[in-house]
Amino acid sequence: MLRFLRPNISESLSDEQLLADYVEGEGAARSLGLLYERYMPMVYGVCLQILKDPGKAEDAVMGIYEELTRKAKEHKIESFRGWLYVLARNYCLMEWRKNKRRPTDHHAPEDMARYDAVEPVFDYELPQGPSALERCLAELSEQQRACVTWFYYEDKSYKEIADMMSEELGKVRSYIQNGKRNLRICMEGRG
Amino acid sequence: MATNPNRDDERLLELLERWHSGDFSRADEQEMQALANSDEFRRDAVEGFLSSPEVEHQAHLASLQKRLRLRADKARRVSLPKIFMAAAATLLLALAVVWLLPTAKESAPIAQKEIQKSAENTAAAPSAPEEKSSEEPARDFAVARPTQPLSGGGSKPMPSVSRPAEGPEVSSVELASEKPPPPPSRYEPSSDKAVVAQPEAVGGAYGKVIDAQDDVDFAPGYAAPVKKDSEEESAAARAKQSAKAKKKSAEQPSASQPAGGWEKFQDYLRRNARLPEAARQQNVSGFVRLRFQLGDDSQPKDFKILQSLGYGCDEEAIRLVKAYSWQRGVEKELDVEVPFVR
């Protein structure tokens, strides 16, 4: 199974040790690179959240690394993880503002409501009677409804759903995501 | 917090991996959301992935790891800020040259003058032989011929240069944007040597690329980052450029492209790129970048692997490209990235 690039916590050195090595010691770029690699998937995720485009997110991850190489030596960093989070966000927000051109990009990423990471509205049992949830389910597209039903009410995995529908995994994820979002909007509208 | 954020981060990445690979059910989602909600860094990261459910994030992360390691390695070498600035200045000048010059062949003498101008900028002092060569246009033109084939391969500098007629100008761009310290010394000997020496210098820097000598055709702009970061040859930066260049070449009229366009081709790759068994066992993933020529019959041939994944992926990438239909336009040579993900 192919891995995401997880932080190598099993490696002995702590964040602080690697950082100190970079700032003061001989390890230099190598240590900082190792340290950054630990957080890289999460930094990538943060960049994705703001910039939306994976290519831009990739470039931002590298740009943040560049900034890191300078700032790590200039500032005294107490908690690397928290500091990195702020650095990453600020960098991406600046990039986003730089590239903001189209009228649809009016809303700053930080203003947009966060729907996806919030708890779902399901209690894993299909509503029996005429309830808001049932009505909202009925309003979904066929694919969204199928995916949502299989995933939440029949406890199928993405892979299984993709096989059943002869659909691509990415599409299944998309249907579930959008289905969830539409359900939430619908429920909040009626609630 | 009592819990170690790094351990939770690790768990989150495990879950994100499963989210991506499909081995993911509602309980996993619940756990992932709990982890996301308990920390803002994790929450934003999860939001990011969830907002692009159809993207092959694995490939991007693999590419990032490569880029990062390359970068961390590079940083060990002494950085040469002055040379970098000089190279950037030369590059800007070369850009001006390309923009301003007409596309006719007769501008070769002008190209020679531009070379001298840029040499003056970067060299300590212009040498007499340079002046001499500009006063002998016929001779220069004749001497300039050998450099023309170079532009076939070496026109890489910028995507916008992908126009067939700009042979000599581009070769001057080539020459002008060499690393400043070496070029000045090449201008010092006699004018003959000065001009003829250029091909070797360029050849050295651009290696096999110069082999594509048949026509004054242009591949999509490729080596721009190589010029900007003249002390680095970041393959990853080139990958970015070739991706952008692919887009640019598609926007221009009669550009070479896969039949139906690049988007369709990328869909085709996504659907059909299968990791060979050996690669799967080794947990390999990432991109294979290859360069190939389009023959007169628009068939891909003369493949060159620019970035290899090994374990049979390169061969698979070639097979995929060969199996597809291509339209040959202006460029004879194309670079393509084939992602392999699990």
Side-chain angles (χ1 to χ4, degrees):
Chain A
M1 170 86 85
L2 191 64
R3 308 269 129 136
F4 264 21
L5 308 162
R6 310 184 209 157
N8 301 320
I9 304 305
S10 49
E11 289 187 3
S12 47
L13 298 174
S14 74
D15 287 359
E16 284 64 44
Q17 283 174 309
L18 284 172
L19 187 60
D21 192 31
Y22 172 71
V23 176
E24 300 147 21
E26 299 298 315
R30 182 111 180 85
S31 296
L32 194 67
L34 268 174
L35 176 57
Y36 193 63
E37 240 184 85
R38 286 181 182 175
Y39 292 97
M40 196 183 61
M42 295 218 312
V43 174
Y44 171 73
V46 168
C47 296
L48 260 182
Q49 193 232 1
I50 294 175
L51 300 172
K52 304 298 183 218
D53 173 70
K56 292 200 182 112
E58 257 203 65
D59 289 342
V61 170
M62 294 310 291
I64 291 165
Y65 180 71
E66 296 300 326
E67 288 226 354
L68 181 61
T69 57
R70 288 187 300 108
K71 294 202 167 160
K73 300 217 177 192
E74 291 166 18
H75 304 255
K76 169 108 177 78
I77 301 170
E78 290 300 335
S79 153
F80 179 76
R81 185 181 182 274
W83 182 86
L84 177 62
Y85 171 62
V86 172
L87 178 69
R89 265 187 67 84
N90 288 343
Y91 182 95
C92 291
L93 286 172
M94 280 231 298
E95 278 302 307
W96 183 86
R97 283 185 198 116
K98 257 190 250 172
N99 295 323
K100 181 173 71 172
R101 255 175 245 139
R102 288 173 270 131
T104 50
D105 288 350
H106 274 160
H107 301 288
E110 64 264 34
D111 297 335
M112 292 167 81
R114 302 170 187 281
Y115 282 119
D116 293 321
V118 171
E119 299 278 324
V121 295
F122 314 100
D123 57 4
Y124 298 159
E125 276 183 24
L126 269 170
Q128 294 303 324
S131 69
L133 181 55
E134 196 185 351
R135 278 195 293 269
C136 289
L137 270 170
E139 281 177 25
L140 293 178
S141 74
E142 261 195 54
Q143 292 100 332
Q144 287 177 3
R145 183 172 49 250
C147 288
V148 163
T149 308
W150 276 325
F151 188 75
Y152 288 106
Y153 298 113
E154 298 183 28
D155 199 13
K156 298 283 178 214
S157 74
Y158 286 165
K159 235 191 248 178
E160 289 167 330
I161 297 173
D163 288 339
M164 285 193 284
M165 292 176 76
S166 299
E167 265 289 8
E168 297 216 346
L169 253 183
K171 275 279 187 289
V172 170
R173 278 196 291 267
S174 196
Y175 289 138
I176 291 178
Q177 219 108 292
N178 294 330
K180 246 200 325 178
R181 187 180 302 124
N182 290 335
L183 277 176
R184 191 173 296 109
I185 294 172
C186 170
M187 298 284 288
E188 283 171 5
R190 291 168 199 259
Chain B
M1 271 182 97
T3 40
N4 180 3
N6 284 339
R7 199 162 297 141
D8 285 342
D9 291 348
E10 249 198 342
R11 180 63 188 149
L12 179 69
L13 292 187
E14 274 175 29
L15 287 168
L16 272 171
E17 179 191 335
R18 303 230 318 263
W19 173 83
H20 194 275
S21 70
D23 176 20
F24 192 81
S25 312
R26 67 188 188 198
D28 300 317
E29 186 187 72
Q30 208 173 25
E31 190 189 348
M32 188 166 86
Q33 279 168 348
L35 283 170
N37 290 339
S38 57
D39 174 83
E40 51 181 4
F41 199 168
R42 285 195 290 267
R43 182 193 57 194
D44 284 1
V46 167
E47 280 274 339
F49 283 101
L50 260 51
S51 70
S52 307
E54 300 189 44
V55 169
E56 294 290 352
H57 295 296
Q58 302 274 38
H60 288 285
L61 286 172
S63 158
L64 270 173
Q65 192 180 41
K66 275 204 191 115
R67 287 171 76 174
L68 198 61
R69 292 202 174 157
L70 222 61
R71 173 67 184 80
D73 272 348
K74 291 290 151 51
R76 268 200 239 117
R77 297 187 207 156
V78 179
S79 67
L80 305 161
K82 283 194 185 146
I83 290 188
F84 181 82
M85 293 306 294
T90 315
L91 180 66
L92 280 170
L93 182 75
L95 267 169
V97 165
V98 169
W99 252 261
L100 294 175
L101 286 179
T103 58
K105 274 190 185 173
E106 296 81 69
S107 56
I110 303 174
Q112 293 300 320
K113 285 199 187 123
E114 294 299 337
I115 298 171
Q116 292 147 27
K117 270 194 213 155
S118 65
E120 279 165 15
N121 277 355
T122 56
S127 43
E130 292 167 14
E131 253 96 80
K132 202 174 156 199
S133 57
S134 74
E135 287 156 24
E136 299 170 342
R139 196 158 159 225
D140 285 343
F141 194 75
V143 174
R145 289 265 166 98
T147 69
Q148 278 189 8
L150 283 175
S151 54
S155 69
K156 317 272 171 202
M158 308 107 211
S160 55
V161 173
S162 310
R163 283 175 210 113
E166 292 177 358
E169 297 78 58
V170 177
S171 72
S172 76
V173 167
E174 274 288 301
L175 308 169
S177 42
E178 265 288 87
K179 280 191 189 174
S185 66
R186 284 181 173 80
Y187 288 116
E188 277 150 27
S190 74
S191 64
D192 274 342
K193 277 198 200 149
V195 182
V196 172
Q198 295 308 320
E200 288 166 21
V202 176
Y206 296 100
K208 291 176 195 165
V209 164
I210 309 300
D211 292 340
Q213 282 190 29
D214 297 344
D215 309 317
V216 190
D217 280 348
F218 291 74
Y222 178 76
V226 177
K227 290 187 186 296
K228 282 179 193 162
D229 306 329
S230 60
E231 74 266 4
E232 305 178 353
E233 283 175 11
S234 165
R238 262 184 266 147
K240 276 281 134 210
Q241 285 299 323
S242 76
K244 283 186 200 160
K246 270 186 293 180
K247 279 197 192 145
K248 289 226 171 182
S249 68
E251 288 161 17
Q252 288 169 12
S254 68
S256 297
Q257 59 174 354
W262 286 101
E263 297 245 345
K264 270 202 165 174
F265 178 65
Q266 268 147 25
D267 270 342
Y268 155 80
L269 286 181
R270 245 195 302 274
R271 283 174 206 275
N272 292 285
R274 297 264 170 266
L275 274 176
E277 185 58 38
R280 217 173 322 160
Q281 283 173 5
Q282 297 291 327
N283 285 333
V284 162
S285 107
F287 296 96
V288 173
R289 279 197 311 111
L290 41 81
R291 173 172 296 160
F292 58 97
Q293 313 290 321
L294 285 176
D296 292 331
D297 51 357
S298 292
Q299 288 293 332
K301 57 175 182 169
D302 297 341
F303 285 85
K304 198 168 289 179
I305 305 291
L306 302 173
Q307 185 173 309
S308 163
L309 268 187
Y311 301 103
C313 293
D314 303 344
E315 291 78 6
E316 174 69 2
I318 292 177
R319 184 193 72 79
L320 286 164
V321 167
K322 272 188 168 164
Y324 206 75
S325 318
W326 294 84
Q327 289 164 0
R328 178 177 156 169
V330 160
E331 302 94 349
K332 196 164 102 84
E333 189 177 270
L334 286 180
D335 287 359
V336 155
E337 260 182 22
V338 179
F340 283 93
V341 291
R342 194 55 169 83

